[in-house]
Amino acid sequence: MMVQRSETVLVVDFGAQYAQLIARRVRDLNVYSEIVPHRITAAELAADPPAALILSGGPKSVHVEGAPSLDPAIYELGIPILGICYGIQLIAQQLGGEVGRGMRGEYGRAKLEVADGPSALFHDLPSTHDVWMSHFDAVTRAPQGFVATASTADAPVAAMESDSRRIWGVQFHPEVVHSPHGMVVLQRFLHDLAGCEPTWTMDSIIDSQVDAVRAQVGDARAICGLSGGVDSAVAAALVHKAIGHQLTCVYVDTGLMRSGESDQIVETFRRNQGIELIHVDAGLRFFERLAGVTDPEAKRKAIGELFVRVFEENTGGLTDAQFLVQGTLYPDVVESGGSDGTAAVIKSHHNVGGLPDDMTLKLVEPLRTLFKDEVRRLGHELGLPDEIVWRQPFPGPGLAVRIIGEVTPERVAILQHADAIVRDEIHRAGLDRELWQAFAVLADIRSVGVMGDERTYGHPIIIRAVTSDDAMTADWARLPYDLLETMSSRIINEVRGVNRVVYDITSKPPGTIEWE
């Protein structure tokens, strides 16, 4: 996105889980944000000053040797700064205050007591209200020139302010929903104290990125490999808005998608969006390649290798293509250590496994500054149907990783039918957006059952439903018993070859979300 540095809030990452959430909350307040490492220097910031800095939380104590720090000269630049958790402790330590060692600490909900007197962050807020804490050390004395504006039972200086130096700090986490007034505090810092204009909107994202794609691609052609997932779908729709018929999408149908998914992809992109789409029905080839393969890693490798071959065969005619569209998201950029936003020339097979080794393409990554929730909102603004925009994460190898043992057309058909029932009932219950994933698994065993007066020897279906924020950890979803009963009854009655349904109540860790 083409956003001026002067309109950007930089979130300084000190190694905790909070930096990405803070950056997302800033964007929720219609201000563009980026994450930068704590090694950033005053010289770098002085050369191109941001609108503001937010110092994030961190996992270490400021007293530990090797704890992350900040270039002290940054405090003298006059850039508005908000320190959160570790951030306020670092400000206090580096500017001459005191941070207590080995204090009792606070984890979870705490009562914040706002001090008497003026406060830029807390004016008009309740004098006592809940906040969310996660700290061991705490500021015990604010630096000279700062005023302590709040406290808790175990944090003598739970907030401090220096209007003259344009530096503020809070010990609690305003970015989490458990701090009910936290977004007000962030809004006051961003809009009132730092003077950030709330101009970061979906319309501005679309307009700026359409301009950027047109400037990058010019009159050349681009190709996009559609996976059926939301990221590639939104990337394709956005690039198509920018360059129209210059974009060709390729969808390799492996035969391992969920029920009705391939038809929906074709309907959405070719008919509704008017995008040139090459639909490759390669299901038979994938089933032939998977015959007799039971090891999970062997299945993944076989599918990946054949996908490369099929994609290569069906893009060979697009010899004039110079660009490859990818649905790279901002967390991918941050986690890979690169965030300068420059487009790289790559050997595309290293990235997506789809093109000949001698075809060099330039990457077009229109979503590389966006988080997942922003991508979904963007897809909605671009007119993509909810079935695409709110699609749950789906593994690259498709249903092959949800079939334990050999993958055959018959077993895929069984799983597609059972999975469709699970998703249908989840939708009827209104739980689509509350769950990270909900799906069915087909086990490689048979069990004895009774249907009518006859004994049966059928497959069990495992239902898996989890809640998560980022898939790094996940908890099994506490689905209502009547919902589980309905899914079980429908699967057994409607899916031929299934006579038992079980529910997986394993969290991650120790388990994984997928079964293979």
Side-chain angles (χ1 to χ4, degrees), residues 5 68 134 146-147 180 206 222-223 292 345 378 386 400 424 427 450 462:
R5 188 68 169 269
S134 181
F146 283 77
V147 175
I206 293 173
I223 58 176
V345 178
L378 183 60
D386 284 353
D424 180 50
H427 178 70
V450 178
I462 300 104

Side-chain angles (χ1 to χ4, degrees), residues 17-207:
Q17 59 185 325
Y18 301 105
Q20 288 195 23
L21 182 56
I22 293 170
R24 287 168 58 189
R25 293 292 178 261
V26 171
R27 294 184 184 195
D28 286 342
L29 293 167
N30 302 118
V31 178
Y32 181 64
S33 63
E34 291 182 358
I35 298 170
V36 295
H38 67 87
R39 295 179 297 275
I40 194 166
T41 66
E44 291 173 307
L45 293 176
D48 192 6
L53 291 176
I54 297 181
L55 311 187
S56 79
K60 294 185 177 181
S61 164
V62 293
H63 298 297
V64 174
E65 184 177 354
S69 61
L70 191 69
D71 182 349
I74 289 175
Y75 299 116
E76 309 305 321
L77 296 177
I79 298 170
I81 296 174
L82 174 66
I84 295 175
C85 194
Y86 183 90
I88 188 178
Q89 295 174 18
L90 187 63
I91 291 171
Q93 183 196 57
Q94 291 189 306
L95 296 184
E98 291 182 0
V99 179
R101 295 172 178 260
M103 302 179 70
R104 192 168 71 175
E106 293 172 305
Y107 297 91
R109 189 170 285 104
K111 289 289 184 184
L112 186 77
E113 299 285 344
V114 178
D116 293 334
S119 167
L121 295 178
F122 301 116
H123 70 85
D124 295 332
L125 291 183
S127 58
T128 301
H129 59 264
D130 289 342
V131 293
W132 194 258
M133 291 288 198
S134 181
H135 70 95
F136 193 65
D137 296 341
V139 180
T140 54
R141 182 175 60 82
Q144 185 175 357
F146 283 77
V147 175
T149 54
S151 63
T152 65
D154 295 293
V157 183
M160 63 184 192
E161 306 180 13
S162 177
D163 293 344
S164 62
R165 299 195 65 169
R166 307 188 77 190
I167 300 175
W168 299 265
V170 294
Q171 181 62 62
F172 62 92
H173 288 275
E175 74 276 12
V176 302
V177 295
H178 306 293
S179 294
H181 298 287
M183 288 299 283
V184 174
V185 171
L186 284 177
Q187 182 177 20
R188 286 178 176 171
F189 170 71
L190 294 170
H191 296 172
D192 301 341
L193 303 177
C196 299
E197 295 293 333
T199 57
W200 173 252
T201 64
M202 283 298 115
D203 287 342
S204 72
I205 293 170
I206 293 173
D207 292 343

Side-chain angles (χ1 to χ4, degrees), residues 22 28 31 54 126 177 210 221 225 245 260 273 276 344 360 390 400 449 455 469:
I22 293 170
D28 286 342
V31 178
I54 297 181
V177 295
V210 163
R221 289 186 62 80
H245 68 277
Q273 297 288 321
E276 182 180 337
T360 301
W390 291 99
R455 287 169 62 85
D469 291 326

